Amino acid sequence: MLDCGVVADDVLRLKPVLSGEHVRLEPLGPAVLDPYWAFLGDAEGRRLTGTHAEFTRDQAATWLATRGDQRDRVDWAAIRTTDGAFLGEAVITDLDPVNESASYRIALSGPGVLGRGHGTEITRMVVAHALDTVGLYRLSLEVYDHNPRAHRVYTKCGFREEGRLRGALLWEGQRHDAVLMSILRTDPRPLG
């Protein structure tokens, strides 16, 4: 963080490895192309994140090849420490250095991945990195109302609701709200 209280516009150029008890966050890159490609096609993951877009393998490869070059975002591959399995991705994006804020998103999918505490561990690591190491004041996110598991994780990690974008997602003929949430550097961070 700069002395004037403004975060540098390239503060996210460094892509550190973040290690937790069960999950490690590594810079997202070409090494995970095969599991990432499968992850992009996971129907449940697409539903929970409201992802309508479909991607080719070449698009995925190009995307992964450019993640390390980004100076205003960090894309991590979530890797289970016990077996090295790819669980999904975590991202700090939409950096606003003047206001010391950014957005967070996480997407996990695959057999036996959800409901194991991985999302909570990852979110806590990213929040600590963003607010304590990088020096951001605010980290925000959107979660769709048909994803209560993710909403519980964010609340458990200290995010608070700020409002809703009503009917923001049309999924299989039904409208869903996007719940806006954030955590500030000055907010308490529950441990349990």
Side-chain angles (χ1 to χ4, degrees), residues 3 14 18 20 77 113 127 130 150 159 173 191:
D3 292 336
L14 299 176
L18 305 180
V113 173
V127 166
F159 282 85
L191 298 176

Side-chain angles (χ1 to χ4, degrees), residues 158-170:
F159 282 85
R160 297 183 190 174
E161 280 192 40
E162 296 184 324
R164 287 178 176 260
L165 299 174
R166 297 179 305 140
L169 174 68
L170 178 61

Side-chain angles (χ1 to χ4, degrees), residues 68-85:
D69 300 334
Q70 307 305 307
R71 300 174 64 84
D72 61 350
R73 62 183 286 148
V74 181
D75 297 78
W76 285 287
I79 307 296
R80 189 168 41 219
T81 56
T82 56
D83 61 3

Side-chain angles (χ1 to χ4, degrees), residues 22-23 108 113-123 153 156:
H22 302 287
V23 180
L108 304 176
V113 173
L114 301 179
R116 305 287 169 105
H118 300 311
T120 300
E121 183 175 1
I122 291 165
T123 298
V153 166
K156 186 178 187 180

